[in-house]
Amino acid sequence: MKKQEGHGKNRGFSLIFSIILVFCILGVVVFSVARRISAEMSLSAIHNLSESLGLIKGTTEAILVKEAEFQKLIAQEIAMVEEQENFIHSYNKNRTMVKISLIMAGETEGISNTGDVFSEEGLDFSSGKKVEELPISQSYLNQMGTWAYTMKCPVVKDNEEIATLYVEYIYDSFDDALPGSFYNGSAMLYIMDAKSERMVLKPKGMGERVAGHLNLQDFYRSNNILEEELQAEVAESIHSGKDIMFYHDIRGKDSLIYMWAVNEGAIYLIGYVPIEAIQQEGRAVNQNILAVVMVMLVAFLLCCILYYLNQRQQNRIRKEQEAEREVHNKQLAEALQAAQIASKSKTTFLSNMSHDIRTPMNAILGFTTLLAKDADNPVKVREYTKKITASGQHLLSLINDVLDVSKIESGKVVLTLGKFTLNNLVSSVDAIIRPMANAKEQVFDVSVTDIKHEYLVGDETRINQILINLLSNAVKYTQNGGNIWFRIIGQPQHSSQYEHIRIEVEDNGYGMTPDYLKTIFEAFTRAENSTTNKVQGTGLGMAITKNIVELMGGSIEVFSEVGKGSLFRVDLELRIPDEQTDREFWEKSGITRILAVDDDMENCRNIQTLMKNTGVTVDAVFSGEEAIRRIGDAFRAGQGYQMILLDWKMPDMDGIETAKWIRVMISDPLPILFLTAYEGEDMEDEMLRVANAGILAKPFFVSAFKEKILEMQSGQKGKRVMAEAPAGNSIEGLHLLVAEDNEINAEILEELLDVEGATCEIVENGRLAVERFEKAKEGEFDAILMDVQMPVMNGYEASRAIRALKRDEAGKIPIIAMTANAFAEDVKDALDAGMSVHIAKPIDMELLKKTLNQWIQGKG
């Protein structure tokens, strides 16, 4: 047994030694191959560098030749004209030729297109260098401080030289023709005048500019090229007009310096490229080869060690393997648990989504069945279609939430910045949320305080989305008869160019538990209790809101207590647009003094803040009695007011009573605007009893105030002038070309257009749309409705093809994109393709009618 063990050990050692020997030999072979590959790739890289320099040289010489040929053509043209002086004066300089001069034969001075007296004095043509037989001067700094050179050309008429044409060119004109980068920006390149050895141009993108490099000696000093023999060799090469390339250390890096002659050595391309940049590809290949070899060697070495240890310590290894199996089993158990949790979360989400999607879908299908049953009952048909539309809108909002969160998680959300007013923002949100709150008999209070600038720059759609998410949740999770507060509060500015605003949404609803507050901004989470389980939603709204706020550079906080309500606080900084205050409006309107009457001091202060830069004086009082005294005193002093802003609801004496006393006291029908956060017909009835009065909704905004003044001045008595939708947005009589591959969508669109009195012709893909429009008579189609995703040719390609057609209508006809691709980048793609405007599916008919009217009337 001992002999067998000894033989086994010897065989093991022999096997290990053989394996190590084989891999050592393999390593040597691989190393030698890698060295050879590196050398060959370096030579290839140097050859490529030479070719690149040759290409730049050829480009530069081609520019010089073109300039010389063009100068000869100018000389021929001068020979043919009678008034050479007028010709020279009329010639404008450009980016290449900055000065044109002419000296008549036998004279020493001449004229220039700049109006100066010109002589050859100061120009050095002694180098003898020529371009297309035209002498070229030594480089010099011209009057603009730019490096330039001059070529002279004889002007010959009837075989007799009558004059000499001088044209000054600048080296900066080479910049556009030279490559924008050289070895990914790691190489340096200059253009040097050979005789003066001055650097006359550093093309853009050719390495970083360092101190020096004004001439060849500066280039030597800054790059530590101080060897006299090397400098002498370079000088000899430049003198003889030869190319030279040599290695040198530049700022701690081995580099290849090149000096390439252009135009027989008149100018030189001078620069360097680090060796590491040249050898980058070869080094990468070698590193990969060595890495593979090292991994193989290490792997086999480990195998050999394990084989040797296995012979001696099988028992210990077996125990270690058992311990490893236990750890592995534990890891597997943890992984299984994590997978089960993930699967449960997925199942929960799918269950929620299944329920949330099926609920409106069930309503749509159910009411569709009832619609078919009661088709002859107009009352029920209108009721069913209204409910089908509501369910469809809810289903669309669920889909939009899922798409939004997917877009946010992939980092593809794009903000669309534009100018907007807080008035429009608050009004649009109020129009959506107030009916929801009224339906639950909730009190919805809106206030705007301490805002200094009403016009701001930001993504109004996304801010609107934030507000609607927060406010709709407040309505949903607040009991009937509860209170909801929407506040926009101006904060101290961190910069004069940005308005710092705080948005607060507060309610006294159900509130949230501390545990749920920790996960409220995570996707697919909803508060679960017996009260809120009936509220529909994906659980994505807060995740989307937080991501949009952070994308805008803002922050969001939430405070809540079960049974007491919640408070969401959003801080944003929005840029203030660069524009002057519109004082001219107030001067034309004859308004210099305004009296604001409100028992809430904060509202008065807000009015004074927003009107601060308009040139209008705003006085404030806090009761009806005080307002009557102030108005009487002002009129008796000859400093009357031109407008009264009067709160509708005040203690003791309300707005209507105050207005009546003002009318009794002052015979002049002073304009009065009632400030109110309420709505209803009773207000308008009361207001009709007061002459020259109107209603202005709270919170106060300057833009809304201006609109109301214009309405009152035009005799509308405070009622907003709005065109009737059918008359203002009528599309009756229009004939449209529709590209839509989905038969159902096409049929629905055709029926909807038919209801509005419009006709259409439908084609199945983009190619057919292009062909049909190309064959159409002038004015046959008023607009084109274009789907995007279609077979054969998509909407983008079809739009480009239509715009490229050689007919007058092709560039003018409105092309409206109608697609389910509704993100900001989809809108940009549509506009880039030549489409006029983008409308997301499902189609909103009112929006389509409005869009068609805008673009067909040329207002798009």
Side-chain angles (χ1 to χ4, degrees):
M1 290 175 66
K2 288 182 180 181
K3 288 181 180 180
Q4 288 176 354
E5 288 179 0
H7 288 305
K9 290 179 180 179
N10 291 333
R11 284 196 301 271
F13 281 119
S14 300
L15 180 60
I16 292 172
F17 178 76
S18 301
I19 292 173
I20 293 174
L21 180 62
V22 168
F23 275 90
C24 286
I25 296 172
L26 178 63
V28 171
V29 173
V30 171
F31 182 75
S32 62
V33 171
R35 287 285 300 273
R36 188 175 74 254
I37 291 174
S38 179
E40 291 176 353
M41 294 192 75
S42 295
L43 290 174
S44 176
I46 293 172
H47 178 69
N48 290 339
L49 173 62
S50 300
E51 289 183 348
S52 298
L53 290 171
L55 184 62
I56 297 174
K57 170 185 174 180
T59 302
T60 307
E61 291 180 341
I63 294 172
L64 293 171
V65 169
K66 291 296 182 183
E67 291 173 347
E69 291 175 349
F70 189 63
Q71 186 168 344
K72 289 179 180 179
L73 291 175
I74 297 174
Q76 292 175 7
E77 191 172 353
I78 291 173
M80 291 188 290
V81 300
E82 295 296 333
E83 299 291 338
Q84 288 89 358
E85 182 175 350
N86 291 339
F87 181 88
I88 294 297
H89 284 309
S90 65
Y91 215 94
N92 295 324
K93 69 177 182 178
N94 54 42
R95 289 194 60 188
T96 304
M97 300 186 299
V98 298
K99 186 177 182 181
I100 299 177
S101 308
L102 185 71
I103 298 179
M104 303 304 294
E107 298 181 7
T108 58
E109 293 184 344
I111 57 173
S112 299
N113 63 336
T114 59
D116 301 331
V117 176
F118 174 78
S119 68
E120 190 176 321
E121 184 179 355
L123 297 176
D124 186 359
F125 290 93
S126 62
S127 65
K129 302 298 182 182
K130 295 184 178 181
V131 179
E132 290 292 299
E133 301 303 323
L134 299 186
I136 183 170
S137 73
Q138 180 181 326
S139 303
Y140 58 90
L141 281 171
N142 64 10
Q143 292 180 347
M144 297 184 297
T146 302
W147 282 102
Y149 58 91
T150 296
M151 283 193 282
K152 62 180 181 179
C153 174
V155 179
V156 179
K157 182 176 183 181
D158 297 331
N159 296 324
E160 180 182 354
E161 184 175 336
I162 63 171
T164 303
L165 175 65
Y166 296 82
V167 179
E168 181 181 286
Y169 305 89
I170 58 173
Y171 282 99
D172 288 348
S173 63
F174 289 9
D175 217 345
D176 295 335
L178 296 180
S181 181
F182 208 25
Y183 277 92
N184 296 323
S186 59
M188 177 71 73
L189 179 66
Y190 286 89
I191 295 180
M192 183 188 80
D193 179 70
K195 187 170 183 181
S196 63
E197 296 185 349
R198 299 282 298 190
M199 304 298 183
V200 295
L201 178 65
K202 177 185 180 296
K204 296 175 183 175
M206 298 297 187
E208 295 183 1
R209 182 70 181 262
V210 296
H213 293 193
L214 299 176
N215 54 37
L216 185 58
Q217 293 303 318
D218 290 331
F219 181 81
Y220 286 154
R221 284 192 296 272
S222 61
N223 295 311
N224 204 28
I225 305 174
L226 306 177
E227 297 86 346
E228 293 182 0
E229 294 180 359
L230 182 57
Q231 293 185 11
E233 183 181 353
V234 170
E236 176 61 26
S237 297
I238 293 175
H239 180 72
S240 58
K242 296 179 181 179
D243 302 332
I244 184 170
M245 190 179 292
F246 58 91
Y247 292 98
H248 202 277
D249 181 274
I250 294 181
R251 290 189 293 279
K253 292 183 179 180
D254 291 333
S255 302
L256 184 62
I257 293 91
Y258 43 81
M259 299 182 179
W260 226 250
V262 178
N263 192 30
E264 299 180 355
I267 57 177
Y268 264 80
L269 303 174
I270 290 184
Y272 61 84
V273 59
I275 298 298
E276 63 183 19
I278 297 177
Q279 295 180 341
Q280 186 173 2
E281 294 181 357
R283 186 167 60 252
V285 172
N286 288 339
Q287 288 174 350
N288 291 335
I289 293 174
L290 291 175
V292 171
V293 171
M294 290 300 297
V295 169
M296 293 174 63
L297 288 174
V298 170
F300 272 90
L301 182 61
L302 289 175
C303 289
C304 294
I305 294 173
L306 290 174
Y307 175 80
Y308 177 72
L309 295 176
N310 183 57
Q311 300 299 317
R312 295 182 57 187
Q313 301 178 355
Q314 287 187 357
N315 292 333
R316 185 174 63 85
I317 292 174
R318 189 179 298 110
K319 292 179 181 179
E320 289 177 355
Q321 289 176 343
E322 290 175 357
E324 288 178 0
R325 275 197 295 271
E326 290 179 3
V327 173
H328 186 59
N329 290 338
K330 183 179 180 181
Q331 291 174 343
L332 287 175
E334 292 175 352
L336 177 62
Q337 185 179 5
Q340 289 173 340
I341 293 173
S343 177
K344 184 178 179 181
S345 298
K346 177 182 176 182
T347 302
T348 302
F349 168 66
L350 291 175
S351 175
N352 289 339
M353 286 303 299
S354 175
H355 173 269
D356 292 336
I357 291 175
R358 286 175 184 273
T359 298
M361 183 59 71
N362 180 65
I364 292 170
L365 295 176
F367 283 117
T368 304
T369 303
L370 293 174
L371 190 64
K373 180 181 177 182
D374 297 321
D376 297 330
N377 188 334
V379 176
K380 289 191 175 182
V381 167
R382 282 192 291 270
E383 180 184 352
Y384 295 158
T385 53
K386 183 178 180 181
K387 292 179 179 178
I388 289 172
T389 302
S391 297
Q393 291 293 339
H394 176 60
L395 181 60
L396 182 61
S397 70
L398 295 176
I399 295 171
N400 285 340
D401 277 352
V402 174
L403 293 177
D404 257 352
V405 79
S406 173
K407 204 77 171 177
I408 289 168
E409 289 179 350
S410 63
K412 295 181 180 179
V413 171
V414 179
L415 293 178
T416 305
L417 300 182
K419 181 180 172 183
F420 69 94
T421 68
L422 286 177
N423 174 38
N424 290 341
L425 182 70
V426 173
S427 298
S428 62
V429 172
D430 185 89
I432 295 171
I433 300 301
R434 191 169 295 278
M436 297 169 58
N438 290 343
K440 297 182 70 174
E441 299 179 351
Q442 296 167 339
V443 177
F444 180 45
D445 181 73
V446 181
S447 64
V448 178
T449 55
D450 295 332
I451 294 296
K452 299 177 182 63
H453 300 87
E454 181 181 340
Y455 290 88
L456 300 170
V457 175
D459 191 331
E460 183 178 6
T461 302
R462 291 296 183 182
I463 297 173
N464 192 283
Q465 185 178 4
I466 292 169
L467 297 179
I468 291 175
N469 276 346
L470 296 176
L471 288 167
S472 61
N473 276 354
V475 173
K476 289 177 186 177
Y477 295 104
T478 299
Q479 66 280 2
N480 287 8
N483 292 282
I484 297 168
W485 295 271
F486 170 34
R487 296 183 285 264
I488 297 180
I489 307 167
Q491 299 293 302
Q493 293 176 261
H494 299 140
S495 167
S496 61
Q497 297 178 342
Y498 288 84
E499 180 83 14
H500 183 187
I501 66 172
R502 172 168 291 171
I503 299 168
E504 290 186 347
V505 174
E506 186 177 3
D507 62 70
N508 61 349
Y510 309 129
M512 293 172 279
T513 64
D515 291 337
Y516 180 64
L517 284 176
K518 297 176 183 177
T519 61
I520 185 173
F521 294 118
E522 296 179 7
F524 315 119
T525 58
R526 287 189 293 187
E528 299 290 341
N529 59 52
S530 59
T531 307
T532 63
N533 277 350
K534 295 181 181 180
V535 178
Q536 297 178 338
T538 58
L540 299 174
M542 287 299 99
I544 293 170
T545 299
K546 183 174 187 294
N547 279 280
I548 293 174
V549 169
E550 291 178 348
L551 188 64
M552 292 179 176
S555 62
I556 183 170
E557 297 177 286
V558 58
F559 311 91
S560 185
E561 189 174 344
V562 175
K564 294 186 178 180
S566 304
L567 169 64
F568 287 86
R569 180 177 293 158
V570 176
D571 280 347
L572 293 174
E573 291 199 31
L574 301 173
R575 190 163 63 83
I576 302 166
D578 301 326
E579 60 181 23
Q580 298 296 322
T581 303
D582 185 13
R583 292 174 176 257
E584 187 178 351
F585 171 83
W586 305 102
E587 293 173 0
K588 287 184 177 180
S589 301
I591 297 176
T592 58
R593 296 192 70 199
I594 292 173
L595 179 63
V597 186
D598 197 319
D599 60 304
D600 189 338
M601 297 177 60
E602 192 68 35
N603 289 338
C604 292
R605 188 163 61 87
N606 182 51
I607 295 172
Q608 290 174 324
T609 301
L610 289 174
M611 294 291 293
K612 181 178 180 181
N613 297 321
T614 61
V616 178
T617 302
V618 180
D619 295 333
V621 294
F622 311 113
S623 68
E625 295 87 346
E626 189 178 354
I628 293 170
R629 286 195 297 272
R630 178 68 66 90
I631 293 170
D633 293 342
F635 272 84
R636 283 190 292 273
Q639 297 178 344
Y641 297 101
Q642 292 83 40
M643 178 70 69
I644 305 295
L645 299 178
L646 188 57
D647 187 22
W648 184 274
K649 296 288 185 181
M650 291 187 295
D652 298 331
M653 181 182 288
D654 65 11
I656 289 293
E657 188 177 354
T658 304
K660 290 177 180 179
W661 275 105
I662 293 173
R663 288 288 181 257
V664 171
M665 182 175 59
I666 301 174
S667 59
D668 180 33
L670 180 66
I672 297 175
L673 283 178
F674 292 103
L675 299 174
T676 177
Y678 304 94
E679 57 183 8
E681 294 182 359
D682 57 333
M683 296 180 189
E684 295 190 2
D685 294 340
E686 289 287 338
M687 187 195 71
L688 290 174
R689 302 177 186 177
V690 181
N692 199 18
I695 295 176
L696 183 62
K698 289 184 179 181
F700 175 86
F701 287 107
V702 177
S703 57
F705 185 29
K706 288 167 66 177
E707 288 179 11
K708 189 60 65 175
I709 290 172
L710 291 173
E711 289 175 6
M712 296 183 71
Q713 288 176 345
S714 63
Q716 296 303 314
K717 304 293 184 183
K719 296 180 181 179
R720 187 178 300 275
V721 179
M722 296 183 67
E724 292 292 332
N729 289 329
S730 174
I731 59 173
E732 185 175 356
L734 297 184
H735 185 52
L736 310 174
L737 176 61
V738 178
E740 173 62 72
D741 63 315
N742 186 289
E743 294 182 5
I744 295 177
N745 289 346
E747 182 179 352
I748 292 172
L749 182 59
E750 187 174 17
E751 290 295 330
L752 290 173
L753 291 173
D754 183 61
V755 170
E756 299 295 336
T759 58
C760 67
E761 183 174 332
I762 299 173
V763 294
E764 298 176 356
N765 57 62
R767 184 176 297 281
L768 293 176
V770 176
E771 294 172 355
R772 180 65 185 89
F773 179 74
E774 190 173 11
K775 296 176 183 177
K777 298 177 183 178
E778 189 77 18
E780 180 177 350
F781 295 110
D782 296 293
I784 300 174
L785 306 183
M786 184 76 71
D787 189 19
V788 170
Q789 293 186 354
M790 294 184 292
V792 186
M793 179 184 284
N794 64 36
Y796 298 145
E797 295 169 347
S799 298
R800 293 189 183 98
I802 289 173
R803 294 301 189 209
L805 292 176
K806 295 181 178 179
R807 54 182 294 180
D808 294 339
E809 243 187 332
K812 301 176 182 177
I813 188 167
I815 302 178
I816 300 174
M818 297 194 311
T819 171
N821 302 335
F823 292 108
E825 53 267 39
D826 299 317
V827 178
K828 182 178 182 299
D829 291 341
L831 299 180
D832 290 344
M835 297 183 179
S836 306
V837 68
H838 176 286
I839 297 179
K841 289 182 180 179
I843 296 300
D844 182 335
M845 202 60 198
E846 289 302 319
L847 177 59
L848 177 60
K849 287 159 59 181
K850 179 180 178 182
T851 304
L852 283 169
N853 273 278
Q854 285 179 339
W855 283 92
I856 291 173
Q857 294 172 10
K859 299 178 182 178

